[in-house]
Amino acid sequence: MGFSERELLARIIMCEAGGEGDTGMRAVASVIMNRVNVATGEYARISNGGSIRNIILQKGQFNCATDTLGGKYNPQNMYNMNPEAIHYEIADWAISGNRINEVDNSLWFMNPFSKNCPNVFPYNGTGNLHTRINNHCFFIPTPLYNET
C-alpha cells in the first residue's frame, strides 16, 4: 500500500470518527498514537518502535482498516475515504505528540451503539472503561495488558 503514515492516520480518523466532531476525532487519534508509543504489551511489539502503519493495519483492530467484514464487502473502509483538511490537521496534531487529556492512556475505543459503555473492553480483561466521548467509549489498560 502506497499511503504515507500521515495519510493512513487521516483516513482512519475520518472513517472511525468522522461524525464525532473535532473532540471525538482527536480522541480516536490519541488512542492510535497511544498504541504507537506504548512501552509494553502487544502494541509495543506491533508498533515495532513507532510504526503508525503497523498499528493501523494490525489485523482485527479497526473495522475501517478492512474492506471485508464477516465475508461481505465493507463500504465503510478507510480506502474509500477522501480526507479533508481537518483530518490531516488532526493527524498532524497527533503525530506531533498531542493528546486529548480525557482519554488519558487509553488503548481502545469502541462504539457500543447504546447509551451504556461496557465496563471491560476488550472482553479478555485488558481494558477498563475510562470515559465516553460522544458515541465512543474509551478504555485504559489493566495490568493484564502487560502480559499480552
Side-chain angles (χ1 to χ4, degrees):
M1 167 182 325
F3 295 132
S4 69
E5 289 193 331
R6 178 183 186 247
E7 180 73 20
L8 284 172
L9 186 55
R11 285 172 177 266
I12 200 84
I13 290 166
M14 181 181 191
C15 189
E16 291 284 349
E20 297 289 306
D22 188 77
T23 301
M25 289 188 289
R26 289 179 191 274
V28 164
S30 295
V31 167
I32 292 168
M33 295 308 295
N34 284 347
R35 288 184 180 192
V36 168
N37 295 307
V38 70
T40 62
E42 172 187 9
Y43 299 124
R45 288 189 308 281
I46 296 298
S47 76
N48 195 28
S51 172
I52 295 169
R53 177 180 309 280
N54 288 359
I55 292 297
I56 291 174
L57 298 181
Q58 181 187 7
K59 187 174 180 160
Q61 297 299 303
F62 301 107
N63 287 346
C64 284
T66 183
D67 57 3
T68 59
L69 284 174
K72 296 180 181 178
Y73 178 67
N74 172 26
Q76 179 73 18
N77 69 67
M78 67 182 184
Y79 308 106
N80 290 341
M81 298 292 113
N82 292 307
E84 299 172 2
I86 186 65
H87 305 110
Y88 292 108
E89 289 169 15
I90 292 171
D92 292 340
W93 170 87
I95 290 168
S96 295
N98 297 294
R99 303 290 178 271
I100 289 281
N101 290 334
E102 293 87 348
V103 302
D104 194 25
N105 65 331
S106 294
L107 295 178
W108 303 274
F109 63 87
M110 58 99 72
N111 182 338
F113 299 100
S114 74
K115 293 180 183 179
N116 299 316
C117 296
N119 289 323
V120 175
F121 183 83
Y123 300 111
N124 65 1
T126 55
N128 283 335
L129 179 63
H130 180 65
T131 192
R132 183 177 187 134
I133 298 174
N134 300 328
N135 291 322
H136 285 98
C137 306
F138 293 84
F139 302 84
I140 57 173
T142 66
L144 184 60
Y145 166 75
N146 292 323
E147 299 173 24
T148 63

